[in-house]
Amino acid sequence: MNDLDSTVALLSDLIAFPTVSADSNLAMIEHLAERLEAAGARTSVLKDDSGRKANLFATLGPDRAEGGLILSGHSDVVPVEGQDWHRPPFEMTEDDAGRLYGRGTCDMKGFIAAAVHLAPELARIATHRPVHFSFTYDEEVGCLGARSLTSELATRGLKPAMTMIGEPTEMRVIDGHKGVSEYTVRFHGRAGHGSDPEAGASALDAAIRYAARLLELREELKRRAADDLPFHPPWTTVNLGRLAGGNAHNVIAASALLEWEMRPAQPGDAEFVREALSKHVEEVLLPQLRRTKPDARIETEVIGDVVGLDPENENALRDLLLALTGTADAGTVAFGTEAGLFRELGGDVVVCGPGSISQAHLPDEFVTRDQLDHCLRTIRGLTQRVAGTA
Ligand SMILES: [Zn+2]
């Protein structure tokens, strides 16, 4: 079999592991670890506290903490429930146009299959610097696996020169994206009869005032934005996703809940919003609630916190990948990735992988054979330049 057919065969194996974020990914991680060990890699399977999920970190080539390349992907996929699939989501199928269908084909098991298929060849190429593989859990629910893995790698003193994050960009070279922070805020007041609103402590009133403050902040964030931010839209955004609370027309709402997100486009904005909100809570909302309910509470839960990737003037990995993929310019994307966490290890980080984000998370998700072929050539060329030269 040629490289592409072998990659497609491995992808088919990987699609058959239903690694939805809520479920275990261990079977797939063990399968990948075996493949990498067979290629001579030194592997670590690092389980989470529940023991049901694991990160896989593996290394080919010299045993050195500094330099080299990380090929990074997440093992988890989003659920398929409620989606109108015309093909089996966890059994890869192919059409006449070379489209390979299945949950995770583009986001992002195609990249993982390409990287792992090439491992025996990369082992021969990586004579001077290491090539690492990082396959994480729980990316789709807030990059939890990458957070734990990057802090473990920092403890080990790992300082990679470059990290390629193979999220679907149609092999375009992406050197920046916004962060994503998701919050659930719970408001606890006191019920009462609707005929006398001041006798209770309306959690719904508080939630609406909180939401209104967020809408004001949304406008302020536009005004705060630097002139040349490379994102769309070019400022930090706030979205109110869900507001719920109360029981009936004539009852003061004892509890309410607001789900919202923020996508920071520049340093300082997230702190600005968090400080403005906590001031509003302490100085306005809690005093109002506590007039009639002394132990009223407003609690914020951080659901996800994806670190942004700020484009930088110097990025040798970006320049190498532009040359290898024959593209003129790097760009930014509107989705979050693990890139910002890997950036914290030092070294250059780029997002570049096969398939289109417009297929990700949807029914009948697919990646094309052409994209996988492009990915194979890019990973091989990159490894030759980063790990194979003195
Ligand atoms: Zn992804």
Side-chain angles (χ1 to χ4, degrees):
M1 265 201 280
N2 64 29
D3 283 324
L4 183 55
D5 287 338
S6 302
T7 300
V8 170
L10 176 53
L11 178 58
S12 171
D13 292 348
L14 299 185
I15 296 307
F17 294 105
T19 52
V20 177
S21 308
D23 301 326
S24 174
N25 72 343
L26 290 182
M28 177 167 134
I29 287 293
E30 278 156 22
H31 185 74
L32 292 170
E34 276 171 30
R35 288 284 296 244
L36 290 169
E37 280 160 17
R42 306 176 288 284
T43 62
S44 313
V45 172
L46 303 149
K47 290 187 181 169
D48 76 346
D49 290 340
S50 76
R52 295 171 56 242
K53 298 178 190 178
N55 290 317
L56 170 60
F57 192 75
T59 302
L60 294 168
D63 189 12
R64 282 171 44 177
E66 293 209 4
L69 172 69
I70 299 181
L71 300 170
S72 166
H74 61 79
S75 65
D76 59 319
V77 297
V78 296
V80 298
E81 273 81 44
Q83 295 189 336
D84 189 15
W85 281 75
H86 297 95
R87 290 167 175 271
F90 297 111
E91 181 193 325
M92 197 189 78
T93 52
E94 181 167 7
D95 71 9
D96 296 340
R99 290 175 169 185
L100 305 155
Y101 294 90
R103 172 55 87 225
T105 44
C106 90
D107 187 13
M108 53 184 296
K109 293 178 176 179
F111 176 81
I112 294 176
V116 172
H117 163 68
L118 284 176
E121 184 182 344
L122 302 188
R124 290 191 293 276
I125 296 173
T127 49
H128 288 71
R129 295 185 192 86
V131 176
H132 310 281
F133 301 79
S134 157
F135 301 138
T136 57
Y137 62 86
D138 279 359
E139 189 273 348
E140 299 289 4
V141 290
C143 296
L144 304 180
R147 200 170 290 277
S148 128
L149 181 61
T150 50
S151 81
E152 162 72 18
L153 296 177
T155 310
R156 290 187 190 180
L158 195 86
K159 290 193 170 54
M162 300 179 178
T163 301
M164 177 181 186
I165 312 274
E167 289 277 0
T169 67
E170 295 172 277
M171 296 307 293
R172 286 185 309 126
V173 178
I174 301 300
D175 68 347
H177 62 70
K178 293 181 182 181
V180 190
S181 301
E182 294 178 335
Y183 303 96
T184 295
V185 189
R186 293 185 176 81
F187 303 81
H188 305 276
R190 189 173 95 177
H193 197 281
S195 62
D196 188 3
E198 289 178 20
S202 172
L204 205 42
D205 287 10
I208 288 165
R209 291 193 175 102
Y210 189 103
R213 182 74 186 107
L214 274 172
L215 295 182
E216 287 171 6
L217 290 167
R218 176 150 87 185
E219 296 307 310
E220 287 177 44
L221 287 165
K222 273 194 218 178
R223 289 194 289 273
R224 279 170 57 89
D227 283 339
D228 52 353
L229 293 177
F231 303 109
H232 176 80
W235 53 75
T236 296
T237 56
V238 161
N239 180 56
L240 307 180
R242 192 163 91 92
L243 175 62
N247 290 309
H249 300 76
N250 57 355
V251 181
I252 296 169
S255 64
L257 166 149
L258 174 65
E259 296 177 355
W260 66 280
E261 64 147 40
M262 160 167 66
R263 298 186 180 237
Q266 62 183 7
D269 278 359
E271 294 73 19
F272 165 74
V273 170
R274 283 194 288 262
E275 275 165 30
L277 285 173
S278 83
K279 192 166 185 292
H280 193 58
V281 165
E282 293 301 323
E283 293 178 6
V284 180
L285 301 182
L286 280 178
Q288 281 171 349
L289 288 171
R290 286 178 177 166
R291 280 203 295 258
T292 49
K293 171 75 171 160
D295 59 347
R297 303 184 320 281
I298 297 175
E299 295 161 342
T300 300
E301 184 185 355
V302 181
I303 301 298
D305 205 3
V306 176
V307 182
L309 179 65
D310 288 319
E312 307 197 38
N313 292 332
E314 306 272 313
N315 185 331
L317 175 57
R318 173 193 60 208
D319 300 343
L320 263 176
L321 283 171
L322 285 174
L324 282 165
T325 56
T327 342
D329 294 304
T332 62
V333 286
F335 55 93
T337 75
E338 298 174 337
L341 290 168
F342 282 92
R343 180 73 188 90
E344 290 171 4
L345 291 174
D348 299 326
V349 181
V350 164
V351 185
C352 177
S356 164
I357 195 68
S358 62
Q359 305 301 327
H361 300 196
L362 292 179
D364 301 331
E365 174 180 345
F366 69 84
V367 70
T368 63
R369 279 181 174 262
D370 281 354
Q371 283 282 302
L372 289 180
D373 200 33
H374 195 171
C375 181
L376 286 166
R377 282 183 275 119
T378 304
I379 292 175
R380 180 185 292 120
L382 184 65
T383 307
Q384 284 163 345
R385 282 161 184 79
V386 177
T389 51

